[in-house]
Amino acid sequence: MTSHQHLQHTLELIKLEREADLEQYRQKVLLRSLTQRVKEGVTWYPVRLGKDYIGTGERIIIELERTHPTDQPHSFQSGKSVNVFCNASGKPEKQHVQGVVNYVQDNMLAITINPDELPEWMNDGQLGVDVMFDEMTYREMEYALKSVMKAEGRVAWLREIFLGNEKPTLLDEVHPEPAQHLNQSQQRALQKIRQAQDVAFIHGPPGTGKTTTLVQAIVHTQRIEGQVLVTTPSNAAIDLLVEKLTEQGVNTVRIGHPARVTEQTLSKTLDARIAAHTHFDELKALRKRIEKVRNEASKYKRNFGHHEREHRRLLKEEARLLKSDADMLEFYIVNDVLQQAQAICCTLVGASHPVLRGRKFKTVFIDEAAQSLEAACWIPMLRAHRIILAGDHCQLPPTIKSNEAAKAGLAVTLFERGIEKHPQTATLLQIQYRMHEAIMKFPSQWFYADALIAHPSVKTRLLKAHHQPVEFIDTAGCGFTEKQDPETLSRFNEEEAERVIHEAEKLVQDFGAQEWNNQQITMGIITPYRTQVDYLKKLAEASALLQPLHALITIHTVDAFQGQERDAIIISFVRSNDKAEVGFLADIRRTNVAITRARKKLIMVGDSATLAAHPFYESLITYVQQEGFYKSAFEVE
């Protein structure tokens, strides 16, 4: 495939993905009754208006509370687009307003709404809120792909490096100023970035300090170039980088809707920076004057006399001229803020923001690039002279709704494609600071060519003296058979879940609940299946030992644990059947993530008779047997 054919193919796959995403939205929201939507977790109804106030960027924020508190799972999260509606007058289609979720707290949603003033109907009661379909992301990805196809100059060169036959250029030995707190492989990554004229990759396995290395690379690059663009696929990831860069003294501006930003980074948003600008009071005064003139003009009706009509025309003309002045002043303030910024930070899609129109950057950084759709990466790359990507393609891939699109290539990221095509531009970070050597060893052998080295500070660190760092509890022959939820089609295994909770209780008993709490020991229970998560949570809540420690014990799917770590991790593999089908577990990158969340203790519970049908799990079981970490469920109490 030529680069143009590849991009055309990707465009078709993005359309497939959009259709699959829209269909899921239709099935969950548009085609369901209000009662079904509430049950599905895509609608909160009824809710009441708690309070409203002016937030960052002079936008209205409303707080909506569920009138019937519940801990039912739902789809609302920070950054989601939503639609607030009212059923009170029988005309809900007219009485609705769109907005973005700031944050969710138990049974309360904080939402930044789009209008300049609070709609009157919000006080009528019978309010509800729906999750909305994210059309803009697809529009921006399609636009970027088409732009890359017809690009000339620098973007065309980057296109051919990633998708064609061009080779990236590396300068001869260039030694950046040393960063004393970085290890050798991290220093090598910095050196590679200095040498790279077109592209460089930071390959960061779990616990190897990818973020630390990337932040230093950004700081060093900014010192040389003056300004850089920093992007990630998610709001949470970019907010983390904004925090880290600010700690390093970098003047950072965060582009994006204030509702999609964490509280810590609010002061760095463009809206907050505009509000803090020396000329902002002048702009505010202009806007007030415009409002006053408009209000005065609206007093005059058409049936007034000639003088009134003329006065109204003059007032409207004055408002128009004032608005022109305000727009010019705002344009100046925005450009001044951006000009002063040393790092401009946004999500991949956020790089299409109108304030960045026409801006080019010598270097663009993309973090979490191995979790980013190729089409989304091209959005900031359209502004780049060279590109630095950081991530790990041996961990979680991008989330894709269409199986057809994933199988046809949408799941392959630019990071994966580029690192395999141009390995000379990549640096593997090798020293890991998270886990005991025995927890690290198998993932290192299978995914990272056995190149990882445990730092002395973690190499032999155990949860408790004489504890084994790893245990595999084999349920083969126990009759722990998986089941399938007929509604969600998700798998669960009740007996295995009970065994997992039993293992969690044993860990706590080894310390005593009081000591566990005093030491603030953290535990994660991970399973790939949502229904198993729900069942495990029920069992944990019913446990007299675990329930009081719920703040220290997290039970969730693999995806929710990406980027996190715990002192102890217990994995429930779930699959146990006569056909030796592993299904979802065949994406072994998920298991890599699950295993590498553990710092000092890893317990895996699964059926070897089912799992060993897959070569990865067969090797994992061989590893635990060789190291003396294997136990049959019959052997342990």
Side-chain angles (χ1 to χ4, degrees):
M1 251 196 266
T2 66
S3 59
H4 284 80
Q5 287 168 334
H6 169 86
L7 290 162
Q8 188 59 51
H9 177 63
T10 306
L11 192 57
E12 299 307 317
L13 298 184
I14 286 292
K15 286 175 181 168
L16 271 182
E17 174 66 2
R18 183 191 171 281
E19 283 162 22
D21 197 1
L22 183 56
E23 185 52 34
Q24 275 192 26
Y25 176 74
R26 277 166 50 78
Q27 295 298 335
K28 278 187 170 181
V29 181
L30 302 182
L31 300 178
R32 304 238 166 160
S33 68
L34 187 54
T35 312
Q36 285 174 314
R37 297 197 320 259
V38 170
K39 192 179 169 189
E40 196 69 49
V42 292
T43 298
W44 278 16
Y45 182 88
V47 293
R48 61 170 163 260
L49 182 64
K51 57 180 179 178
D52 62 277
Y53 50 93
I54 303 294
T56 309
E58 299 190 344
R59 298 170 195 247
I60 296 174
I61 296 175
I62 59 170
E63 289 184 1
L64 299 176
E65 296 170 272
R66 285 203 258 218
T67 49
H68 310 301
T70 171
D71 59 358
Q72 177 205 350
H74 57 77
S75 303
F76 292 88
Q77 60 188 50
S78 170
K80 282 264 187 186
S81 296
V82 292
N83 187 51
V84 182
F85 62 88
C86 174
N87 271 350
S89 69
K91 292 183 179 176
E93 72 281 357
K94 287 190 179 174
Q95 297 192 324
H96 66 89
V97 65
Q98 291 176 3
V100 175
V101 176
N102 284 48
Y103 59 90
V104 189
Q105 205 170 57
D106 299 326
N107 288 283
M108 191 270 283
L109 276 174
I111 299 167
T112 300
I113 58 170
N114 294 339
D116 294 336
E117 54 188 52
L118 193 73
E120 286 176 22
W121 52 261
M122 279 217 178
N123 296 303
D124 295 347
Q126 285 182 259
L127 299 177
V129 54
D130 287 324
V131 169
M132 283 183 67
F133 179 68
D134 182 12
E135 180 68 59
M136 190 194 84
T137 297
Y138 291 103
R139 205 170 50 237
E140 293 299 345
M141 288 195 289
E142 287 180 15
Y143 175 79
L145 288 169
K146 287 173 184 171
S147 300
V148 175
M149 269 191 253
K150 57 184 186 216
E152 293 174 355
R154 194 65 201 165
V155 174
W157 179 252
L158 289 174
R159 178 189 69 211
E160 295 311 312
I161 284 173
F162 278 96
L163 308 175
N165 297 313
E166 295 298 346
K167 295 271 187 290
T169 310
L170 284 170
L171 294 178
D172 293 335
E173 291 294 296
V174 175
H175 296 285
E177 54 186 283
Q180 301 304 328
H181 60 290
L182 296 188
N183 64 47
Q184 259 186 315
S185 63
Q186 292 171 330
Q187 298 272 17
R188 275 200 305 275
L190 248 62
Q191 184 175 338
K192 190 80 78 179
I193 289 165
R194 282 290 299 275
Q195 290 175 282
Q197 296 302 286
D198 308 296
V199 63
F201 299 88
I202 302 173
H203 183 188
T208 54
K210 172 181 66 72
T211 304
T212 303
T213 311
L214 184 65
V215 166
Q216 284 308 310
I218 294 166
V219 169
H220 282 226
T221 306
Q222 180 275 319
R223 279 184 198 149
I224 295 161
E225 297 173 8
Q227 188 178 76
V228 293
L229 179 65
V230 181
T231 64
T232 70
S234 70
N235 287 294
I238 198 65
D239 285 341
L240 175 67
L241 283 176
V242 169
E243 275 181 61
K244 301 280 184 194
L245 289 167
T246 304
E247 284 167 14
Q248 295 285 317
V250 177
N251 178 2
T252 310
V253 173
R254 165 78 156 94
I255 306 289
H257 198 298
R260 294 190 166 100
V261 175
T262 60
E263 221 167 303
Q264 293 90 318
T265 53
L266 261 179
S267 62
K268 307 292 178 291
T269 58
L270 182 61
D271 282 11
R273 287 292 170 89
I274 290 168
H277 195 274
T278 47
H279 290 288
F280 182 68
D281 286 344
E282 204 180 315
L283 179 62
K284 227 164 140 185
L286 266 174
R287 283 177 179 160
K288 270 189 180 168
R289 173 81 183 129
I290 293 165
E291 200 56 41
K292 193 178 171 194
V293 171
R294 277 181 178 159
N295 288 340
E296 207 177 321
S298 66
K299 288 178 196 169
Y300 296 98
K301 305 295 176 197
R302 286 184 186 279
N303 56 358
F304 276 34
H306 170 74
H307 289 299
E308 286 83 359
R309 272 200 302 278
E310 182 60 19
H311 189 49
R312 185 171 184 243
R313 188 188 68 75
L314 290 170
L315 285 168
K316 282 192 159 186
E317 179 63 15
E318 186 185 353
R320 192 183 64 75
L321 291 169
L322 285 167
K323 186 179 181 308
S324 173
D325 287 349
D327 288 348
M328 279 180 70
L329 182 56
E330 187 172 13
F331 179 78
Y332 163 74
I333 292 171
V334 168
N335 276 288
D336 192 42
V337 167
L338 292 178
Q339 216 59 44
Q340 304 299 320
Q342 294 171 320
I344 294 176
C345 301
C346 57
T347 61
L348 298 173
V349 176
S352 64
H353 196 289
V355 296
L356 295 179
R357 202 163 283 149
R359 284 185 178 267
K360 298 283 183 191
F361 299 85
K362 174 79 170 54
T363 303
V364 170
F365 290 87
I366 301 180
D367 192 14
E368 305 292 5
Q371 274 189 283
S372 310
L373 287 176
E374 178 192 323
C377 285
W378 283 115
I379 300 170
M381 284 169 70
L382 285 167
R383 309 191 178 286
H385 181 83
R386 71 172 188 149
I387 189 89
I388 313 298
L389 299 100
D392 180 13
H393 52 299
C394 303
Q395 292 187 66
L396 289 184
T399 303
I400 294 174
K401 306 274 172 65
S402 164
N403 287 333
E404 190 186 342
K407 283 175 187 163
L410 194 62
V412 182
T413 61
L414 268 188
F415 183 88
E416 198 174 342
R417 206 182 296 285
I419 209 168
E420 283 171 11
K421 202 170 184 185
H422 309 296
Q424 75 281 12
T425 61
T427 310
L428 175 74
L429 304 181
Q430 288 178 279
I431 313 291
Q432 71 81 18
Y433 299 86
R434 176 181 298 164
M435 62 203 110
H436 188 287
E437 188 173 38
I439 298 170
M440 173 202 80
K441 198 172 174 185
F442 181 74
S444 177
Q445 287 170 351
W446 189 275
F447 294 101
Y448 307 108
D450 208 11
L452 300 191
I453 301 157
H455 189 265
S457 63
V458 299
K459 188 174 181 175
T460 57
R461 194 175 58 177
L462 293 166
L463 194 61
K464 197 173 186 184
H466 313 304
H467 261 207
Q468 278 190 311
V470 179
E471 289 177 53
F472 185 98
I473 295 166
D474 189 0
T475 64
C478 292
F480 293 4
T481 309
E482 67 182 70
K483 293 175 185 156
Q484 190 170 28
D485 184 310
E487 260 191 61
T488 63
L489 303 181
S490 180
R491 310 269 169 174
F492 63 104
N493 189 323
E494 292 164 334
E495 295 90 351
E496 184 178 292
E498 284 158 19
R499 179 81 221 194
V500 164
I501 294 300
H502 177 60
E503 291 301 325
E505 288 174 333
K506 271 167 55 184
L507 275 184
V508 173
Q509 279 165 342
D510 278 353
F511 286 84
Q514 189 61 49
E515 190 55 28
W516 188 282
N517 194 41
N518 290 346
Q519 290 190 35
Q520 291 288 290
I521 300 166
T522 56
M523 186 196 301
I525 300 175
I526 306 181
T527 180
Y529 294 95
R530 168 70 59 186
T531 307
Q532 185 80 339
V533 168
D534 295 341
Y535 192 65
L536 283 162
K537 281 183 176 175
K538 263 186 215 165
L539 293 176
E541 281 162 19
S543 165
L545 199 57
L546 301 183
Q547 203 283 326
L549 299 169
H550 68 90
L552 296 167
I553 300 170
T554 315
I555 303 172
H556 230 308
T557 57
V558 183
D559 298 52
F561 271 96
Q562 172 90 341
Q564 299 185 38
E565 55 190 74
R566 298 289 186 275
D567 294 318
I569 288 288
I570 306 177
I571 302 171
S572 170
F573 285 117
V574 176
R575 300 310 293 253
S576 179
N577 54 72
D578 296 337
K579 295 175 183 170
E581 287 176 350
V582 297
F584 194 42
L585 294 179
D587 187 349
I588 58 174
R589 291 175 293 185
R590 284 195 146 72
T591 306
N592 182 31
V593 172
I595 289 172
T596 55
R597 300 309 94 198
R599 292 190 196 112
K600 307 169 188 175
K601 179 79 175 178
L602 171 68
I603 300 174
M604 296 173 277
V605 183
D607 176 358
S608 66
T610 300
L611 296 173
H614 190 287
F616 171 81
Y617 296 100
E618 184 185 24
S619 295
L620 174 61
I621 291 158
T622 303
Y623 168 72
V624 293
Q625 285 171 336
Q626 286 170 346
E627 299 288 332
F629 301 145
Y630 172 90
K631 291 171 185 167
S632 165
F634 294 113
E635 295 168 31
V636 282
E637 81 225 46

